[in-house]
Amino acid sequence: MDKNLSQDGNQKISQDLLILVGKLADELHPTSQLYDQITLNSRLDRDLGFDSLGRVELIRRIEQFYGVSLPEHTFSTAEIIGDLLKVLLNSRGDKQIFDHSHSVLENLSEVVRDRPDNENTLVDVLQWHLQRHPERTHIEIYRDSGRGQQITYGQLAAMSYRVAWGLMDKQLTRSARVTLMLPSSPEYFYSFMGVLAAGAIPVPIYPPMRLSQIESYIRRHQTILKNCQAEVMITTPEVKRFATLLKSLVPSLRRVVTVTEFSGFSDKPLKLAISPKDIAFIQYTSGSTADPKGVQLSHANLLANIRAMGKATRLQSKDIFVSWLPLYHDMGLIGAWLGTFYHSAHLILMSPLEFLARPQRWLWAIHRYQATISAAPNFAYDLCYHRIPDEDLKGLDLSRWRLACNGAEPVLPNTIRLFCKRFSRYHFKREAYWPVYGLAESSVGLAFPRPDRTPHIQKVQRASFMSHGVAKEAATSEPHPLEFVACGEALSGHQIRVVDDMDIELPDRQQGHLQFKGPSSTSGYFRNPEQSAELFHGEWLDTGDLAYLDQGQLYLTGRTKDIIIRAGRNIYPHEIEDAVGEIDGIRRGRVVVFGYQIESREKLIVLAETRETSTQKLQDIRSQILDVCAEIVDLPPDDIVFAPPNTILKTSSGKLRRSACRELYLKGKVGQKPTSLWWQFAKVAMSSINQQLKIQLRNFGAIAFAAYSWLSYILAATICCPLILLLPSLRARRSLARKLCRILAWVTATPINVCGVEKLLADQSYVLVANHTSYLDVYIMVFAIEIPFKFIAKAELTNNFLLALLLKRFDVEFVERFDREKSVADVSDINKDNVSLLFFPEGTFTRQAGLAAFHMGAFLAAASTQYPVVPITICGARSMLRDDSWFPRKGSIDVIIGEPILIEQGNDYWQVATQLKNKARAEILYRCREPDLEQ
């Protein structure tokens, strides 16, 4: 090693530093024999192969060894070991200490009660804030101690309009794309909003981590720049030095500028005609390939998503959001910034590097600012659990943290358990942990949990799910059940569904393709019609994810392209990756499992990073991986490949790039070449054919059942309708209908389980109220209720003459729903007969799971007749035949008849009806286990 220094007093520090770097380099690249070649002039990236995580680990070890805190810029500015030495010699001798005092946010004492709900664009929202509270602080840039730079709404508007006027001076074309290559900083906010104010379209892309990467970084991202046809790039002075290279690679690029160049322009608002349908920004979900996918989102899309997420999270102006999420990613840009911007809330912003270097900084910021909301991918919660020592958490208070959103990557059950258990000691509440789901194609958010609901982990039978995709509840004695985390329900105004390969909706607890629609949905990928065509399935959009629904709750099971089909079974990579990552000697979060196709053969590969070099130790790890695979999928992998640290490829947001790792493997750059291919080819080919046959048979069976069911219904209607018109007795007509319903249930193999029928006495009249889930509900009630009763139906049904005639033959009464006075009069007229009345108080039903608000008619009838109210809960019918679908599915139905609710005497008429409604609805809501749509 090079131990020559100009100052003898620093030689010991130099020697120790070289040894420290050498040990880590050998750990990262155990076969490279770098230790004896390291000098103070060795470059950290090119000579030693340190990537971002390698640098973080190196700085952590230096700080730990020398007992100092290095400046944050060391991570990005240090190019050679000598740079580290200079920083080390100039650093202070004490460790990093975070300010533990509670920060007082003075201007948040005034709560903003109104919201810009009538504004149509983000520029309108900016102007709304400017007119009402320009001095209100919106953003604060985090500092470890003291107060950071604060940005008021007035300052945000002034700087944004300067950027807008500056861009107009560049003579941009209408809806020009402006690329933002900026770090998390005030300049990012000014640039993004300024581009919007100029009527242009911002295109965020992540900036290079280090200056030495700029040239290679630009070449990698030229596909995005070419696809969006960027006219201007706003970036940092360091990147601007490469303007000539940028322009040569991207013909459309005319200007490369920095924010400081706009400081001399006017800060007065522009008045441009910007439509809600105009594209607000383009979010690229990929771009390092030849086929970049830029999700185009309009102002209307973004505002719909922001409003729906705000409703789900109950976001208010008094909330404080601490975020280290990068602003070039939708979760940080929309979820953290634009969400707080819209709701007049306070955003504390730190850089992703600040979090990665010291995860405890994130938690202490939440403590210090008494933050109520924060969000992060799963790996961040895992990092906090494993990496932060207890001594760095003394005095931490997370009691004000009411929403800890976990999204952007699969939410692992074990992460939930470990994080909630450890940080409960610091007053973290389990109900604050929110697994959420979203994607750029739906702006960002799609499914959120209900407030105050603890995270739910569902355990299902492994064999049933892997063979048939059915999520049957696992017995407590099952040794290795599959676990899936509930990610909430669709946001208000949005819908999700799970379909099979033919886009036919599946029943609850059946895995399929997850699709969605709603006001937040993209109109497609920018200048990519082929990918846009694949995205849309009619009015529904395909997420590319596999999932199942259960009582309105969403359970993600994997991505379509990542599933490995082997020996006729579905294998889920993330589950093996998580289990292998727990093995001693394997780097956590640095395991990737993938399959690759050779004609009709699918191979299972486990690629894992390790620092171990001992042959015996590697053999022991290999045996443990085989054991893990045997336990989880009962199948050994075709190949286990050990790789040095930082081999596994990830996206800029930290997601595993399984396809890229597969390519790395196929090019022979890692691992060993598989053997005995002919035998594996034969086995996997047969299993693949077998799996495809199973899928086709399952689809054929579903179609056959639907056709058979409709033939049965049509035949029954052909026989029954004339008889209903001809039979003179109401009793005979009712008896015929009940027998017919029982026959239909039998011939379609649909079990209808009725519980509580003994509670309905023959000599007593009731007001029966049931939840409404499907067109089948009428048949179900005829099947289940044995005492005589009248159906109370909506008056709109009388518009169909034949249907109205048939219903009147059953003594059905029609009630006006929308005219309140007429509705009350109709209900009063019903009371002349001493017979039970059956209402569907929701009035109508939707395909979306959940219990809607109840109309008052049924309960007014009960109050006037003094009949007890009987709540009846129907379960299972919705998933058999949903609204907007004419494709019945196999299933079973449960009918739960509750205890009669007696009338309380002496109260006001409306008060009695309201009390009856609330009690009945609470009973049905509890029994149906579906979301409460009234909230």
Side-chain angles (χ1 to χ4, degrees):
M1 292 187 181
D2 181 2
K3 301 178 182 178
N4 298 321
L5 287 171
S6 58
Q7 299 180 13
D8 293 339
N10 294 331
Q11 187 159 342
K12 180 65 168 61
I13 297 177
S14 172
Q15 291 174 347
D16 291 339
L17 179 61
L18 290 170
I19 292 172
L20 197 65
V21 175
K23 287 182 177 179
L24 180 58
D26 275 358
E27 290 178 17
L28 295 176
H29 307 285
T31 60
S32 300
Q33 298 180 341
L34 295 170
Y35 189 85
D36 295 328
Q37 305 172 28
I38 294 176
T39 70
L40 290 175
N41 292 318
S42 296
R43 298 182 64 87
L44 295 175
D45 51 2
R46 189 177 62 195
D47 299 330
L48 303 179
F50 285 175
D51 66 357
S52 298
L53 291 177
R55 285 175 173 247
V56 168
E57 178 63 18
L58 176 60
I59 292 173
R60 186 187 71 84
R61 293 190 183 190
I62 292 173
E63 291 180 335
Q64 189 176 48
F65 184 82
Y66 291 102
V68 298
S69 292
L70 301 182
E72 295 297 336
H73 64 76
T74 308
F75 182 92
S76 57
T77 58
E79 298 289 341
I80 61 175
I81 299 178
D83 294 336
L84 290 174
L85 179 61
K86 292 177 183 177
V87 174
L88 181 60
L89 293 174
N90 294 325
S91 64
R92 297 172 58 186
D94 54 344
K95 288 188 176 182
Q96 180 76 35
I97 298 176
F98 302 113
D99 188 349
H100 294 183
S101 62
H102 289 298
S103 178
V104 180
L105 305 177
E106 299 88 352
N107 66 338
L108 287 186
S109 59
E110 182 180 350
V111 176
V112 179
R113 306 223 175 257
D114 54 345
R115 294 185 307 235
D117 292 339
N118 295 323
E119 307 306 322
N120 295 320
T121 70
L122 289 171
V123 179
D124 294 339
V125 174
L126 178 65
Q127 188 64 22
W128 184 91
H129 286 298
L130 181 62
Q131 292 173 352
R132 284 164 176 77
H133 41 239
E135 300 305 317
R136 182 180 178 84
T137 299
H138 168 41
I139 302 165
E140 180 170 332
I141 307 302
Y142 171 84
R143 287 178 55 187
D144 285 337
S145 61
R147 300 298 296 273
Q149 179 182 351
Q150 298 176 49
I151 304 173
T152 65
Y153 282 101
Q155 290 169 335
L156 174 63
M159 288 301 300
S160 298
Y161 287 131
R162 285 193 175 100
V163 171
W165 283 111
L167 290 173
M168 296 292 288
D169 187 63
K170 306 297 182 187
Q171 298 181 339
L172 292 181
T173 61
R174 179 66 178 173
S175 299
R177 273 71 64 194
V178 178
T179 304
L180 308 183
M181 189 188 289
L182 293 164
S184 296
S185 61
E187 288 74 19
Y188 198 103
F189 302 114
Y190 306 150
S191 298
F192 187 93
M193 201 60 69
V195 173
L196 290 178
I201 301 172
V203 182
I205 58 176
Y206 67 91
M209 188 69 71
R210 293 180 298 279
L211 298 181
S212 59
Q213 293 179 325
I214 290 180
E215 185 170 352
S216 61
Y217 166 86
I218 290 172
R219 293 185 183 278
R220 278 201 316 274
H221 285 76
Q222 62 178 301
T223 53
I224 289 179
L225 300 173
K226 287 181 177 179
N227 178 257
C228 73
Q229 295 182 324
E231 294 185 23
V232 175
M233 174 183 284
I234 304 178
T235 187
T236 62
E238 293 81 7
V239 175
K240 187 181 177 181
R241 297 205 303 262
F242 292 79
T244 302
L245 173 63
L246 282 162
K247 293 177 182 178
S248 67
L249 294 174
V250 185
S252 63
L253 194 62
R254 298 190 288 112
R255 297 279 193 279
V256 179
V257 297
T258 65
V259 175
T260 56
E261 296 177 39
F262 301 121
S263 59
F265 287 90
S266 171
D267 61 359
K268 301 300 181 183
L270 278 78
K271 294 183 179 180
L272 297 179
I274 301 175
S275 167
K277 297 181 180 180
D278 288 345
I279 298 176
F281 90 113
I282 301 173
Q283 173 74 56
Y284 276 86
T285 61
S286 63
S288 57
T289 66
D291 193 23
K293 293 164 61 177
V295 179
Q296 51 191 13
L297 297 166
S298 68
H299 287 271
N301 294 148
L302 291 175
L303 288 175
N305 203 243
I306 290 166
R307 287 163 179 158
M309 289 191 298
K311 182 178 180 180
T313 59
R314 300 178 180 176
L315 184 60
Q316 301 179 47
S317 63
K318 64 182 180 181
D319 277 306
I320 303 170
F321 196 132
V322 169
S323 177
W324 55 265
L325 298 169
L327 293 170
Y328 53 78
H329 191 272
D330 50 14
M331 193 173 179
L333 176 65
I334 308 171
W337 174 37
L338 294 179
T340 55
F341 166 72
Y342 180 91
H343 289 90
S344 306
H346 198 82
L347 176 65
I348 310 297
L349 181 75
M350 66 172 62
S351 73
L353 173 58
E354 287 177 311
F355 164 74
L356 288 173
R358 297 180 180 87
Q360 56 268 48
R361 177 183 275 121
W362 178 38
L363 302 182
W364 278 113
I366 292 171
H367 161 97
R368 176 179 161 203
Y369 285 94
Q370 302 179 64
T372 54
I373 305 178
S374 194
N378 190 87
F379 86 87
Y381 295 95
D382 193 67
L383 201 62
C384 288
Y385 174 82
H386 287 98
R387 184 168 161 182
I388 305 176
D390 287 339
E391 56 267 25
D392 286 353
L393 297 174
K394 291 179 181 179
L396 181 69
D397 181 9
L398 302 177
S399 60
R400 295 288 299 275
W401 195 2
R402 69 177 183 87
L403 291 183
C405 298
N406 183 341
E409 64 182 25
V411 182
L412 301 181
N414 209 37
T415 300
I416 296 176
R417 286 188 285 259
L418 294 176
F419 186 89
C420 291
K421 181 179 180 180
R422 183 182 184 192
F423 289 97
S424 64
R425 289 177 281 171
Y426 307 99
H427 312 294
F428 178 79
K429 298 178 289 291
R430 184 178 174 85
E431 58 267 24
Y433 200 102
W434 265 36
V436 299
Y437 174 74
L439 66 166
E441 287 80 356
S442 183
S443 296
V444 61
L446 182 56
F448 278 30
R450 289 278 176 176
D452 303 323
R453 175 170 179 165
T454 58
H456 181 64
I457 301 170
Q458 195 165 84
K459 296 184 178 183
V460 304
Q461 295 178 15
R462 179 178 298 276
S464 173
F465 194 83
M466 297 183 72
S467 299
H468 306 292
V470 178
K472 294 182 178 179
E473 187 176 354
T476 54
S477 58
E478 185 164 336
H480 300 291
L482 285 170
E483 292 186 321
F484 298 113
V485 176
C487 293
E489 59 201 56
L491 292 173
S492 175
H494 298 69
Q495 295 187 51
I496 55 177
R497 69 174 186 175
V498 174
V499 300
D500 61 15
D501 293 335
M502 299 180 295
D503 282 347
I504 298 173
E505 195 160 0
L506 293 169
D508 278 5
R509 287 180 169 265
Q510 175 71 59
Q511 179 189 242
H513 305 280
L514 179 63
Q515 297 180 348
F516 69 96
K517 65 178 180 178
S520 305
S521 302
T522 178
S523 59
Y525 299 118
F526 188 72
R527 297 183 66 235
N528 196 330
E530 294 81 8
Q531 291 289 337
S532 296
E534 292 182 12
L535 175 66
F536 283 90
H537 294 241
E539 61 180 351
W540 294 86
L541 288 77
D542 188 6
T543 64
D545 289 318
L546 293 175
Y548 67 86
L549 294 171
D550 185 19
Q551 298 174 338
Q553 295 296 307
L554 174 64
Y555 294 84
L556 275 297
T557 59
R559 284 195 63 84
T560 307
K561 63 183 180 182
D562 290 334
I563 282 186
I564 303 163
I565 302 174
R566 189 173 186 272
R569 302 174 65 180
N570 291 340
I571 299 173
Y572 298 87
H574 70 83
E575 189 183 15
I576 300 176
E577 290 160 357
D578 190 40
V580 172
E582 299 290 337
I583 296 175
D584 185 31
I586 297 296
R587 297 187 72 202
R588 177 184 294 274
R590 309 293 296 189
V591 180
V592 63
V593 174
F594 56 85
Y596 74 92
Q597 198 85 11
I598 298 182
E599 295 181 352
S600 60
R601 176 171 57 91
E602 185 86 342
K603 290 176 65 72
L604 172 64
I605 310 298
V606 177
L607 175 60
E609 291 185 1
T610 179
R611 294 188 176 96
E612 300 293 342
T613 58
S614 166
T615 302
Q616 183 59 48
K617 181 62 177 176
L618 291 176
Q619 186 59 42
D620 292 340
I621 295 175
R622 184 182 298 273
S623 299
Q624 292 181 63
I625 293 176
L626 290 171
D627 291 340
V628 164
C629 291
E631 287 184 3
I632 293 178
V633 297
D634 197 28
L635 288 170
D638 291 282
D639 202 359
I640 299 172
V641 181
F642 295 117
N646 303 315
T647 299
I648 304 298
L649 303 175
K650 292 189 175 185
T651 67
S652 60
S653 58
K655 297 179 182 179
L656 291 171
R657 296 174 59 195
R658 295 191 179 95
S659 297
C661 290
R662 181 190 299 114
E663 292 301 315
L664 195 67
Y665 175 85
L666 293 176
K667 291 177 181 178
K669 294 185 177 181
V670 295
Q672 301 174 358
K673 186 177 180 180
T675 57
S676 304
L677 294 181
W678 67 271
W679 176 240
Q680 296 176 46
F681 176 87
K683 290 195 299 182
V684 180
M686 291 303 298
S687 66
S688 178
I689 293 172
N690 184 45
Q691 180 69 12
Q692 291 302 316
L693 286 174
K694 285 182 180 179
I695 293 173
Q696 295 305 320
L697 286 173
R698 188 161 61 241
N699 291 339
F700 176 78
I703 295 173
F705 175 80
Y708 170 74
S709 297
W710 276 114
L711 286 174
S712 302
Y713 299 152
I714 293 171
L715 180 61
T718 303
I719 297 172
C720 186
C721 288
L723 291 175
I724 290 172
L725 295 174
L726 294 174
L727 287 173
S729 166
L730 175 61
R731 181 176 180 181
R733 295 193 291 269
R734 287 175 174 170
S735 177
L736 172 65
R738 182 170 292 109
K739 289 177 181 178
L740 186 64
C741 289
R742 294 178 183 270
I743 291 172
L744 282 173
W746 178 74
V747 298
T748 58
T750 304
I752 302 179
N753 308 304
V754 183
C755 175
V757 69
E758 72 281 354
K759 298 172 184 175
L760 302 179
L761 304 178
D763 58 350
Q764 172 70 54
S765 296
Y766 305 93
V767 170
L768 311 171
V769 293
N771 58 317
H772 205 3
T773 63
S774 169
Y775 290 112
L776 301 175
D777 292 344
V778 173
Y779 303 100
I780 295 168
M781 289 294 95
V782 172
F783 179 103
I785 307 301
E786 298 180 356
I787 64 172
F789 66 89
K790 277 187 178 183
F791 271 114
I792 309 301
K794 54 190 179 182
E796 300 97 280
L797 294 178
T798 58
N799 296 331
N800 186 313
F801 174 77
L802 180 59
L803 178 61
L805 179 62
L806 289 170
L807 292 176
K808 287 178 180 178
R809 294 290 288 171
F810 280 112
D811 202 22
V812 171
E813 295 283 355
F814 300 96
V815 175
E816 174 61 50
R817 288 191 299 155
F818 303 108
D819 185 330
R820 179 172 172 177
E821 292 184 4
K822 183 69 167 59
S823 176
V824 173
D826 290 344
V827 170
S828 300
D829 292 340
I830 292 170
N831 299 339
K832 58 188 178 182
D833 297 327
N834 188 25
V835 66
S836 295
L837 308 174
L838 174 64
F839 291 79
F840 293 114
E842 291 172 279
T844 188
F845 62 91
T846 64
R847 60 164 309 283
Q848 181 180 2
L851 190 67
F854 279 7
H855 296 283
M856 288 294 293
F859 310 100
L860 291 172
S864 64
T865 61
Q866 300 292 297
Y867 291 170
V869 173
V870 178
I872 301 175
T873 308
I874 303 172
C875 302
R878 193 191 308 273
S879 63
M880 287 188 62
L881 185 63
R882 291 185 185 269
D883 186 30
D884 296 331
S885 172
W886 297 102
F887 195 97
R889 290 277 186 177
K890 286 184 178 181
S892 63
I893 295 168
D894 293 320
V895 179
I896 306 168
I897 301 173
E899 293 288 345
I901 303 171
L902 301 178
I903 302 294
E904 295 183 9
Q905 300 297 327
N907 290 326
D908 175 77
Y909 180 73
W910 278 92
Q911 186 178 1
V912 169
T914 302
Q915 290 174 348
L916 291 172
K917 183 195 75 167
N918 293 340
K919 290 180 180 179
R921 193 174 186 281
E923 169 74 12
I924 294 173
L925 183 64
Y926 174 75
R927 297 291 183 188
C928 74
R929 301 293 186 183
E930 289 191 342
D932 186 354
L933 299 183
E934 187 177 40
Q935 296 182 4

